[in-house]
Amino acid sequence: MADLEAPVNTPAWLSGKSYDELQTALARAQQSQAHKERWKYTKVDKLLAGLSRQDASNQSSCLVDIPGGIQVQRLTDATQNFLSSTDFGSLIEDAPEVVNLLLQAGAIDYIYVTKTPDACLVLEHTGQSLPVFIRVAENVDLKILEQQADTLSKSHQHCLWLQQEASSRVIHARNNLGWDQEQDGQILFRHLQVHLARDAVYTLQNHSVGAATHRQNIHINCAGPGAHAQLLSASLVPEKAHLDQQITVQHTAPHSTSRQTVHNIAGQAANVTFNGRIHIHAHCPGVQAHLSNKNLGVAQQANINTKPELEIYTDDVQCSHGATVGQLDENHLFYCASRGINPDLAKQLLSTAFLNTASQGALAETAMATFAHLSERMVGP
Amino acid sequence: MSILNISNLHAEVAGQPILKGLSLQVNAGEVHAIMGPNGSGKSTLANVLAGRPGYQVTSGSVTFQDMDIADQEAHERAVAGIFLAFQYPVEIPGVSNMEFLKAALESHAHAKGGNQPNAAGIIKQARELAKSLDLNPEFLKRGVNEGFSGGEKKRNEILQMLLLEPTLAVLDETDSGLDIDALQVVANGVNKFRSQDNAVILVTHYQRLLDHIQPDFVHVLADGKIVQSGDKTLALELEEKGYAWLT
Ligand SMILES: Nc1ncnc2c1ncn2[C@@H]1O[C@H](COP(=O)(O)OP(=O)(O)OP(=O)(O)O)[C@@H](O)[C@H]1O
Ligand SMILES: [Mg+2]
């Protein structure tokens, strides 16, 4: 474990805690069994080493397009402790690496969306982006488009917090297509944390290709009754690339619902991990939580790990949880062949179709074009 | 002109002998109906002709337009002109019908070294065929057979046949699951397709279909062999007496 360097600035949200205290807590969390389990398929040291080299002056805002009426505040140590509303105690336990990242950033872009904007909020990552905290007020609708620039730097980390107040609706289209094969050892780390109040609806439309190291954390808490989280994710991980998705959906309120559909394709010698955890807390009757993870290996040698985890502490809930690892369906391949479609084209068509069924939204077309291009190379002779 | 010549064909599926010495000759311009009890090997024959992996020919021969096709893969047979309308067409979510038809036509053109077909032309032709088969052209945007009713799937098979213009069309129970109007529509499609240059093998359980599509020959397949052949009066006789008297 890389040592945590002293933060460039000590943010205000550390108020009340000494830096030493925090470091002790982080060290403890990083050595816990749970943490080791969550970092089984990605070398955390590599990532943290990349992290500790960051310095706040290199970080830029990823907020490239802000609809009228929305103010961005740059929060540094001098600003108020806005993060008091999030539970940092559990963040230290759940994702100590993220606390690390925040400490290194020393600043956060903070947005409070108080009325439905008439345009999308656009986030674009080029180099090191500052963490972003978006608060969406009651009854407000927001569309977020998050992408990577073509020239993404070699090491990229980003945290996004979304705090949705009652009855707000967010559609978040997110493409992680920035793998640059020319950049040896590219490391990407994304942490997304969503908190949903009563009747808030969150939809994530996620697309990814791997990288040398590509880790995605997605933590969603359905914290109010009637809250609904919908997650669609399609990824194509080409030759020798890596993708590690760690998704946790918590239901801490009754009658909240979630649905996750995650389709991943692994190419030759690719490493693909999906760890999907659904945690239904006590006293949450009426919760419905569904997760489906399907993986396709299109090459002889691909490493696919899928681990669905369920923790349920209330009886009266509906929960389904399925994970499969397979190859392309022979009946589909024969149907294509019987129409004269040659096997390579059929494989390409069917792989793209498999991803298509877990792909939606404003950035889907771009993603599917990238996938088609990659799969052409993957299944080619 | 010979389109298909099957001679003493033996074939097995999953190590099980199913076809046990089947012979059949089909010439250009002919329609052959194949009837027979459940499990007698009709679909197996259709799949063997189409080159489905796992269907093993153990002896005998199949020639298509005087070429032995034993070593040809399914897609090669298809571009050579063999078409199979499936008894149970599969659903392929995520590939639209249009995309699928385009890929098929492009593969045919590519194999023949011809020019790539024009996309707008394909769309227009597919929409017209859909209408002629009483299918809403909007269905072309949906996934291949995805959520289609049984009858819609069968009509979609005929649409593909009409678009690909094969030399030999093997229709495996395309009439099953069709209502009376749909049966008429499908029969019209097949009759439109028939010409002096192609041939049709109709696998069916119902003589009703043969009222709409006049066959030149009717064969009975039982336990992996053709046990009786005749003209369309054989179908009427079968309807009356069943298969028991033949075996
Ligand atoms: N994949 C398979 N594995 C094992 N046995 C098979 C397989 N496919 C077909 N069979 C067997 O082969 C025999 C012939 O089946 P086939 O589907 O050709 O019959 P059919 O004449 O088309 O019947 P139906 O009228 O019911 O469609 C049956 O006994 C069937 O169980
Ligand atoms: Mg059959």
Side-chain angles (χ1 to χ4, degrees):
Chain A
M1 181 63 52
D3 279 341
L4 185 63
E5 289 179 11
V8 182
N9 297 304
T10 305
W13 53 267
L14 267 178
S15 62
K17 288 192 188 101
S18 77
Y19 182 65
D20 287 349
E21 242 178 281
L22 178 76
Q23 224 183 1
T24 311
L26 277 176
R28 197 176 47 237
Q30 282 166 346
Q31 266 139 36
S32 72
Q33 199 50 43
H35 186 263
K36 284 187 184 131
E37 194 56 39
R38 284 195 290 272
W39 286 89
K40 212 162 147 182
Y41 300 102
T42 301
K43 292 201 173 60
V44 70
D45 288 359
K46 230 198 272 178
L47 194 138
L48 288 175
L51 252 182
S52 54
R53 267 185 267 110
Q54 305 309 323
D55 120 43
S57 59
N58 273 343
Q59 303 209 333
S60 58
S61 175
C62 61
L63 296 161
V64 296
D65 231 332
I66 303 153
I70 298 178
Q71 291 293 320
V72 180
Q73 282 173 269
R74 175 68 48 85
L75 300 181
T76 59
D77 59 322
T79 51
Q80 69 275 53
N81 54 352
F82 72 100
L83 285 170
S84 56
S85 57
T86 44
D87 184 354
F88 267 75
S90 89
L91 184 64
I92 290 172
E93 296 304 320
D94 290 347
E97 62 284 353
V98 173
V99 177
N100 252 345
L101 204 156
L102 287 170
L103 287 172
Q104 292 307 322
I108 282 180
D109 281 336
Y110 172 73
I111 297 175
Y112 188 22
V113 185
T114 51
K115 72 180 211 307
T116 300
D118 48 19
C120 297
L121 176 66
V122 180
L123 279 62
E124 188 174 275
H125 304 290
T126 45
Q128 294 305 321
S129 315
L130 282 171
V132 175
F133 188 104
I134 302 171
R135 192 170 149 201
V136 185
E138 198 168 324
N139 274 316
V140 166
D141 292 357
L142 178 68
K143 285 192 181 127
I144 303 170
L145 298 184
E146 185 181 10
Q147 298 191 75
Q148 297 171 340
D150 295 338
T151 51
L152 190 70
S153 62
K154 181 170 172 180
S155 164
H156 172 77
Q157 287 94 24
H158 188 246
C159 286
L160 174 62
W161 264 262
L162 190 63
Q163 177 125 1
Q164 287 187 233
E165 294 175 1
S167 301
S168 60
R169 284 165 298 264
V170 171
I171 296 176
H172 181 189
R174 184 171 83 150
N175 280 6
N176 309 275
L177 308 175
W179 187 33
D180 182 352
Q181 275 169 297
E182 302 305 310
Q183 295 214 39
D184 207 24
Q186 191 179 35
I187 299 174
L188 308 179
F189 174 60
R190 289 290 185 81
H191 181 85
L192 168 66
Q193 191 142 349
V194 181
H195 184 95
L196 302 175
R198 171 187 288 273
D199 295 324
V201 177
Y202 173 70
T203 304
L204 177 66
Q205 300 155 336
N206 194 54
H207 300 95
S208 323
V209 296
T213 300
H214 188 170
R215 164 70 174 232
Q216 295 179 3
N217 288 355
I218 299 174
H219 292 215
I220 300 175
N221 186 359
C222 296
H228 177 65
Q230 164 121 2
L231 191 153
L232 269 176
S233 176
S235 304
L236 186 144
V237 184
E239 197 178 355
K240 295 195 189 122
H242 168 271
L243 175 69
D244 178 358
Q245 293 179 313
Q246 301 277 328
I247 303 179
T248 300
V249 174
Q250 306 214 39
H251 289 269
T252 55
H255 303 287
S256 56
T257 53
S258 64
R259 183 169 287 278
Q260 305 177 54
T261 306
V262 180
H263 286 190
N264 293 335
I265 294 186
Q268 181 70 21
N271 282 293
V272 175
T273 300
F274 172 83
N275 195 338
R277 188 165 149 250
I278 296 176
H279 182 171
I280 303 176
H281 290 246
H283 315 297
C284 294
V287 163
Q288 292 183 23
H290 300 285
L291 183 159
S292 160
N293 168 233
K294 291 185 183 164
N295 299 281
L296 211 59
V298 293
Q300 292 299 320
Q301 301 214 307
N303 300 309
I304 299 172
N305 300 293
T306 171
K307 190 168 114 188
E309 279 180 72
L310 283 179
E311 282 183 65
I312 304 179
Y313 300 102
T314 302
D315 286 340
D316 176 24
V317 299
Q318 272 183 41
C319 193
S320 71
H321 204 291
T324 59
V325 178
Q327 260 107 44
L328 290 172
D329 187 323
E330 283 175 16
N331 294 319
H332 290 172
L333 286 167
F334 177 60
Y335 196 67
C336 291
S338 75
R339 302 311 182 233
I341 300 172
N342 79 54
D344 285 336
L345 180 58
K347 280 183 201 160
Q348 202 186 312
L349 206 63
L350 295 173
S351 309
T352 314
F354 170 78
L355 296 173
N356 211 358
T357 51
S359 165
Q360 230 175 48
L363 297 178
E365 208 170 310
T366 314
M368 290 311 298
T370 303
F371 292 159
H373 178 70
L374 285 172
S375 74
E376 206 171 304
R377 289 203 319 226
M378 271 164 75
V379 302
Chain B
M1 187 179 64
S2 165
I3 298 253
L4 182 72
N5 193 347
I6 305 175
S7 164
N8 195 25
L9 182 69
H10 289 73
E12 52 185 50
V13 186
Q16 281 260 48
I18 309 290
L19 300 183
K20 303 166 184 171
L22 187 145
S23 297
L24 180 69
Q25 275 173 52
V26 178
N27 293 319
E30 294 175 355
V31 173
H32 291 243
I34 295 184
M35 305 183 82
N38 291 131
S40 57
K42 303 181 297 297
S43 294
T44 303
L45 172 63
N47 281 307
V48 166
L49 292 176
R52 187 175 199 135
Y55 286 68
Q56 209 66 42
V57 172
T58 49
S59 69
S61 69
V62 180
T63 59
F64 173 65
Q65 294 181 307
D66 299 323
M67 285 256 297
D68 189 322
I69 57 169
D71 293 333
Q72 290 190 355
E73 289 187 53
H75 68 283
E76 294 167 329
R77 297 180 193 206
V79 294
I82 297 179
F83 179 89
L84 168 62
F86 285 58
Q87 182 173 2
Y88 305 109
V90 295
E91 300 194 9
I92 313 182
V95 181
S96 78
N97 271 292
M98 206 54 237
E99 206 181 345
F100 183 75
L101 295 175
K102 238 176 97 227
L105 283 170
E106 282 170 5
S107 296
H108 279 253
H110 183 74
K112 290 175 184 138
N115 288 337
Q116 282 303 307
N118 155 299
I122 298 177
I123 294 174
K124 185 161 175 277
Q125 199 188 352
R127 289 181 67 92
E128 278 164 11
L129 286 173
K131 274 188 228 154
S132 77
L133 290 162
D134 250 354
L135 281 167
N136 183 343
E138 285 303 296
F139 98 105
L140 291 164
K141 294 181 188 157
R142 283 162 53 188
V144 173
N145 292 321
E146 194 183 1
F148 286 23
S149 74
E152 285 169 342
K153 285 180 184 167
K154 297 300 181 75
R155 278 181 273 177
N156 193 22
E157 296 290 286
I158 296 300
L159 185 149
Q160 293 175 38
M161 177 190 78
L162 292 171
L163 198 66
L164 297 173
E165 299 180 324
T167 307
L168 173 67
V170 182
L171 311 184
D172 192 357
E173 294 198 28
T174 303
D175 54 331
S176 297
L178 293 182
D179 63 40
I180 299 158
D181 291 342
L183 185 71
Q184 185 65 57
V185 164
V186 163
N188 290 348
V190 175
N191 288 329
K192 187 169 96 184
F193 168 73
R194 286 178 81 162
S195 82
Q196 284 313 305
D197 302 320
N198 62 31
V200 178
I201 295 178
L202 289 177
V203 173
T204 182
H205 284 293
Y206 307 106
Q207 117 66 35
R208 193 184 53 171
L209 176 70
L210 308 180
D211 288 340
H212 300 284
I213 306 170
Q214 302 283 330
D216 300 291
F217 300 93
V218 174
H219 310 277
V220 179
L221 183 66
D223 194 25
K225 287 195 282 282
I226 304 274
V227 295
Q228 184 87 9
S229 296
D231 61 14
K232 70 178 168 63
T233 56
L234 176 59
L236 291 165
E237 204 173 341
L238 290 169
E239 183 124 291
E240 216 170 282
K241 301 202 229 162
Y243 294 113
W245 61 283
L246 286 168
T247 48

